[in-house]
Amino acid sequence: MKDEPVVIKKYANRRLYNTGTSTYVTLEDLAEMVKKGEDFNVQDAKTGEDITHPVLTQIIFELENKDGQNMLPIPFLRQLIAFYGDQMQMIVPSFLEQSMIAFSKEQERFREQMKQAMGKTPMDVMKMTAPMKAFEEQTRRNMEMFQNAMRMFTPFPPNGGVSPPPASAEPAKREGGEKSEELQQLKDQIAAMQRKMDSMG
């Protein structure tokens, strides 16, 4: 039973009910459950619909609005918004998920380095940049994996803004030219994302 996610039911009055403990809980309680590694699913009490995603998003919204707890930088938020409706939208979730998994694997070493850098001389405090550089390097490696994965993708459908090849071109050459231009556009988008990640780093 412990391996199964706890079911949290959300009622019309917005109250949340933890079926595992038979108690009403708040978004703050759910945030603590996440931090403790407790898995749960949130369901609409009336329809049974899984609404875990919007509830977790609401938790992030609440945390981001607390003073001193902002973790999402404005450039990142702008870039994320720009990806909605873009050709890259289908790739972004997997990229972000893999990046967070990689970061989670490194977090213990990261925290240990931070502890060692705290409470020392000013010169020693400068060593605090080492963990950040390690994370930045990890982000760069993730980006490289992302780019390599994108090279294996079939080009997206023709873009309306792509200039058509000459009418005299053979059908096969015309199709190849369009795909080549679309692939170049995709590479340009990836390069733009790389520059954005570099600036954030």
Side-chain angles (χ1 to χ4, degrees), residues 99-182:
S99 296
M100 290 304 297
I101 290 176
F103 179 71
S104 296
K105 291 179 179 179
E106 296 289 333
Q107 68 177 347
E108 290 304 323
R109 183 168 63 90
F110 180 84
R111 289 174 178 172
E112 185 61 30
Q113 290 176 331
M114 290 294 286
K115 289 179 180 179
Q116 292 177 359
M118 295 295 289
K120 297 185 178 181
T121 66
M123 185 63 69
D124 291 331
V125 173
M126 293 178 64
K127 296 179 182 179
M128 291 177 61
T129 58
M132 292 304 299
K133 288 184 179 297
F135 176 61
E136 181 180 353
E137 181 60 29
Q138 180 64 50
T139 301
R140 291 182 187 279
R141 289 198 296 269
N142 291 344
M143 194 64 196
E144 290 176 0
M145 289 192 301
F146 177 69
Q147 291 174 328
N148 292 333
M150 286 303 301
R151 293 192 184 99
M152 297 186 292
F153 272 75
T154 302
F156 293 97
N159 190 319
V162 177
S163 301
S168 59
E170 296 179 4
K173 292 182 179 180
R174 182 185 302 115
E175 181 180 355
E178 290 178 352
K179 289 185 177 181
S180 178
E181 291 182 18
E182 292 159 14

Side-chain angles (χ1 to χ4, degrees), residues 1-136:
M1 292 296 293
K2 291 183 179 180
D3 294 333
E4 297 181 2
V6 175
V7 175
I8 308 294
K9 292 187 176 182
K10 185 175 183 180
Y11 292 88
N13 59 5
R14 298 185 179 182
R15 298 194 69 182
L16 298 165
Y17 184 77
N18 187 329
T19 60
T21 59
S22 299
T23 57
Y24 285 99
V25 293
T26 64
L27 290 177
E28 288 78 6
D29 294 327
L30 296 186
E32 287 301 319
M33 290 176 67
V34 171
K35 293 176 182 179
K36 293 178 181 178
E38 299 179 21
D39 194 12
F40 60 83
N41 290 330
V42 185
Q43 298 178 0
D44 185 293
K46 183 177 181 180
T47 65
E49 177 186 1
D50 189 325
I51 55 174
T52 307
H53 185 279
V55 170
L56 291 178
T57 303
Q58 186 179 358
I59 291 175
I60 294 175
F61 176 79
E62 295 290 339
L63 292 175
E64 282 291 309
N65 276 281
K66 288 186 177 181
D67 293 335
Q69 290 199 172
N70 304 104
M71 286 201 306
L72 303 179
I74 291 179
F76 173 78
L77 292 173
R78 291 183 187 278
Q79 186 66 69
L80 190 61
I81 292 172
F83 278 131
Y84 281 95
D86 188 87
Q87 293 175 335
M88 300 290 288
Q89 180 176 344
M90 60 182 292
I91 311 299
V92 173
S94 178
F95 171 67
L96 294 178
E97 181 180 5
Q98 293 303 317
S99 296
M100 290 304 297
I101 290 176
F103 179 71
S104 296
K105 291 179 179 179
E106 296 289 333
Q107 68 177 347
E108 290 304 323
R109 183 168 63 90
F110 180 84
R111 289 174 178 172
E112 185 61 30
Q113 290 176 331
M114 290 294 286
K115 289 179 180 179
Q116 292 177 359
M118 295 295 289
K120 297 185 178 181
T121 66
M123 185 63 69
D124 291 331
V125 173
M126 293 178 64
K127 296 179 182 179
M128 291 177 61
T129 58
M132 292 304 299
K133 288 184 179 297
F135 176 61
E136 181 180 353

